[in-house]
């Protein structure tokens, strides 16, 4: 059995590597480092303390909310960065260490250390791409397909291929998956149990996912997307080719 290397380092991992370097130490010199327990509300839409946050460890949820419902926009992982100058709530969903700095001072730091700019841009680009992908999934995939698509992407990006199996570090709770995917914990549990019964993957404890059939998992993630996208295309075609009124 041969182990294949994992995917190339992500933008977030590249940023963590930068922070661990000598240049990264200079970059973080003026940041405040805070340790927060799970469930801490870091900021709200009305917060006037405009800061940049860098996640060093843990996990942070970014979401919109009103009196009736919540919409998760992203989960920030170690190496991700975000600004509080947005109409969002930001809360920790695990014990978390954050580096924080007022936004104006952060901009001055980038000007003084331009070597950090490409890394920061990759991190922000990753977040934008993730937000677009989330919106696409919410619109064009049902809950089961959203979950399969997410798990397949995690396996590709973070897993290692060992023989014919993907070994994936996985610390997501069912509740957090439900929040991210815009569904219920019960639905996530039912889909996960079904995929395990079918032998697509199995969970090993709370920190490891063994994917036996990544192609099947990716197929589940595409199925609903193809069907609904075809419907949208057909609808657009009907509008485009609608005959003129007499």
């Amino acid at each position: 059995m041969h182990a294949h290397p994992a995917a190339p380092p992500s933008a977030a991992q590249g940023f963590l590597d930068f922070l661990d370097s000598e240049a990264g130490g200079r970059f973080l010199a003026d940041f405040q480092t805070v340790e927060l327990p799970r469930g801490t509300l870091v900021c709200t839409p009305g917060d006037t303390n405009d800061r940049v946050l860098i996640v060093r460890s843990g996990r942070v949820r970014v979401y919109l909310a009103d009196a009736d419902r919540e919409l998760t926009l992203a989960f920030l992982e170690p190496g991700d960065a975000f600004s509080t100058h947005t109409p969002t709530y930001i809360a920790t969903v695990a014990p978390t260490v954050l580096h924080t700095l007022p936004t104006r001072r952060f901009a001055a730091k980038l000007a003084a250390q331009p070597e950090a700019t490409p890394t920061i841009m990759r991190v922000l680009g990753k977040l934008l791409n993730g937000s677009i992908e989330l919106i696409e999934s919410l619109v064009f995939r049902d809950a089961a397909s959203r979950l399969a698509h997410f798990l397949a992407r995690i396996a590709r990006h973070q897993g290692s291929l060992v023989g014919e199996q993907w070994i994936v570090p996985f610390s997501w709770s069912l509740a957090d998956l439900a929040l991210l995917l815009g569904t219920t914990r019960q639905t996530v549990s039912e889909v996960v149990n079904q995929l395990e019964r079918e032998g697509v993957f199995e969970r090993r404890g709370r920190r490891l996912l063994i994917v036996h059939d990544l192609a099947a998992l990716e197929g589940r993630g595409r199925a609903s997307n193809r069907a609904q996208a075809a419907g949208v295309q057909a609808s657009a075609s009907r509008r485009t080719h609608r005959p003129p009124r007499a």
Side-chain angles (χ1 to χ4, degrees):
M1 182 177 292
H2 299 286
H4 298 259
S10 65
Q13 183 59 52
F15 190 35
L16 286 175
D17 292 341
F18 167 76
L19 295 179
D20 288 333
S21 68
E22 182 178 346
R26 294 194 303 272
F27 184 77
L28 289 174
D30 297 326
F31 278 77
Q32 179 186 7
T33 300
V34 293
E35 298 183 16
L36 303 173
R38 175 189 174 98
T40 301
L41 188 60
V42 179
C43 78
T44 65
D47 194 342
T48 58
N49 188 7
D50 190 6
R51 295 167 291 161
V52 170
L53 310 176
I54 297 174
V55 182
R56 191 57 181 251
S57 65
R59 180 175 290 141
V60 175
R61 179 185 175 217
V62 180
Y63 63 101
L64 300 172
D66 61 18
D68 300 317
R69 59 181 179 173
E70 297 179 358
L71 174 64
T72 299
L73 300 178
F75 276 91
L76 306 181
E77 304 279 351
D80 285 335
F82 201 76
S83 171
T84 62
H85 188 60
T86 60
T88 61
Y89 293 85
I90 301 177
T92 62
V93 295
T96 299
V97 175
L98 295 177
H99 301 303
T100 77
L101 189 70
T103 301
R104 288 186 179 181
R105 293 175 63 189
F106 180 78
K109 265 196 173 294
L110 287 182
Q113 287 186 255
E115 68 272 22
T117 301
T119 305
I120 288 285
M121 293 304 295
R122 285 194 293 271
V123 169
L124 297 178
K126 172 217 165 193
L127 285 174
L128 176 60
N129 182 68
S131 296
I132 293 172
E133 188 170 282
L134 174 63
I135 294 169
E136 178 192 27
S137 284
L138 288 171
V139 173
F140 294 120
R141 293 184 175 94
D142 60 24
S145 296
R146 291 200 296 273
L147 177 59
H149 176 76
F150 176 76
L151 295 178
R153 184 166 58 87
I154 289 291
R156 286 284 187 194
H157 291 180
Q158 300 180 12
S160 297
L161 182 61
V162 180
E164 297 181 354
Q165 301 179 136
W166 287 84
I167 312 300
V168 188
F170 195 77
S171 59
W172 288 80
S173 68
L174 296 182
D176 285 348
L177 285 173
L179 287 172
L180 177 66
L181 301 173
T183 186
T184 65
R185 187 185 184 283
Q186 180 180 354
T187 297
V188 171
S189 179
E190 290 173 353
V191 174
V192 166
N193 290 336
Q194 178 183 347
L195 292 172
E196 284 196 290
R197 286 194 301 269
E198 294 175 3
V200 176
F201 62 74
E202 63 177 296
R203 289 172 289 178
R204 296 273 179 89
R206 296 183 177 181
R207 297 285 178 177
L208 202 62
L209 194 70
I210 311 298
V211 180
H212 301 295
D213 193 343
L214 184 55
L217 193 59
E218 290 176 329
R220 294 290 186 88
R222 288 191 298 265
S224 177
N225 188 45
R226 283 199 303 267
Q228 295 192 40
V232 171
Q233 185 176 9
S235 177
S237 178
R238 286 194 298 272
R239 289 195 301 270
T240 302
H241 297 93
R242 182 177 297 167
R245 294 181 179 179

